Amino acid sequence: MYRAPSRRKLKKEIEKPNLIPILDAVFIFIFFLLMSSRFLNINEIQSDVPIVSDRQPPKSDKKPLALTLKIQNTRIQVLTGVPGSVRKNIGKNADGDYDLLSLREYLISLKKNNVDENSIVLEPLVDLSYEDIVKIMDSVRDLKKTDPDIWTKTKDGMDLRVKELFNNIVFGNIQS
C-alpha cells in the first residue's frame, strides 16, 4: 500500500509578524512630529482687484477723488482726478526710505476734504520689496490715535469720528 508523505499532510501554518508594536511606534512617531513642529502664522493683506467694466459709471454731481499713488524709485506721486493730475511729490528721507510721514500728513489733509472717500490705487512703477509695500499700505490705511480727528455726519445727523484713512487699497498694476 502506498502511503503519502507526511509533509503533505502536515500543513504548517506560517506565522504572521505581529504588527501591533510597529503600528504603535508609527503613531507615537507621528504624534511626536506634530507636537514638535512649529506652526506658521500666516497673515493676509486685504486688497482688491481693479474692476473693469464697459458700463458707464453712475452719474453724480460730485467728482470722484480717484486718489492714486505712483511709486517710483525716488519719489511717490500723489495723483487725483480722472485723468490723474499730480497733486504732490513725496521724496525720500535721509535714510533713503520713502517719507511716509509726509505722505500720511498730506493724505490726512485730503481725507478732511473727502471724508466719504475710502479708495486708493497703488501703482508701483518699480520693483519694491514686500516690506516697502506693507509700510506704504500701513501708512495709508488707518488713522492713528495721534492723528488729528476727522468728523463726518451720519444719516441721522449725528457726528461720527472717522477711524479709517483710505482702507480700500487697489493695486493698479503689479510688476513681478
Side-chain angles (χ1 to χ4, degrees), residues 81-95:
V82 178
S85 59
V86 177
R87 296 290 180 168
K88 187 161 179 91
N89 286 311
I90 309 290
K92 291 191 172 187
N93 57 21
D95 297 333

Side-chain angles (χ1 to χ4, degrees), residues 144-159:
K144 298 176 183 175
K145 292 181 181 180
T146 57
D147 292 332
D149 290 341
I150 301 174
W151 296 90
T152 185
K153 295 271 188 195
T154 62
K155 292 180 182 177
D156 302 332
M158 302 286 291
D159 286 334

Side-chain angles (χ1 to χ4, degrees), residues 19-81:
L19 295 178
I20 293 174
I22 295 171
L23 289 174
D24 285 343
V26 167
F27 283 119
I28 290 172
F29 182 66
I30 291 172
F31 180 74
F32 174 74
L33 285 176
L34 286 175
M35 295 308 292
S36 65
S37 66
R38 286 182 23 190
F39 294 102
L40 296 177
N41 192 11
I42 299 175
N43 296 318
E44 175 185 358
I45 298 175
Q46 182 67 27
S47 175
D48 293 330
V49 179
I51 298 173
V52 178
S53 175
D54 57 354
R55 288 188 288 157
Q56 291 292 329
K59 294 194 177 192
S60 174
D61 295 337
K62 187 177 177 184
K63 291 188 177 186
L65 180 63
L67 181 60
T68 303
L69 296 182
K70 286 194 177 187
I71 305 165
Q72 300 173 355
N73 271 336
T74 57
R75 66 180 182 228
I76 297 176
Q77 284 186 328
V78 181
L79 293 90
T80 60

Side-chain angles (χ1 to χ4, degrees), residues 111-148:
K111 183 69 172 184
K112 286 180 181 178
N113 297 328
N114 301 282
V115 178
D116 296 331
E117 188 68 41
N118 290 323
S119 296
I120 186 167
V121 178
L122 295 183
E123 289 188 11
L125 301 176
V126 294
D127 286 336
L128 291 175
S129 68
Y130 178 76
E131 289 82 15
D132 287 340
I133 291 174
V134 171
K135 285 178 187 177
I136 293 170
M137 289 175 71
D138 286 343
S139 66
V140 304
R141 186 175 292 139
D142 294 323
L143 286 170
K144 298 176 183 175
K145 292 181 181 180
T146 57
D147 292 332

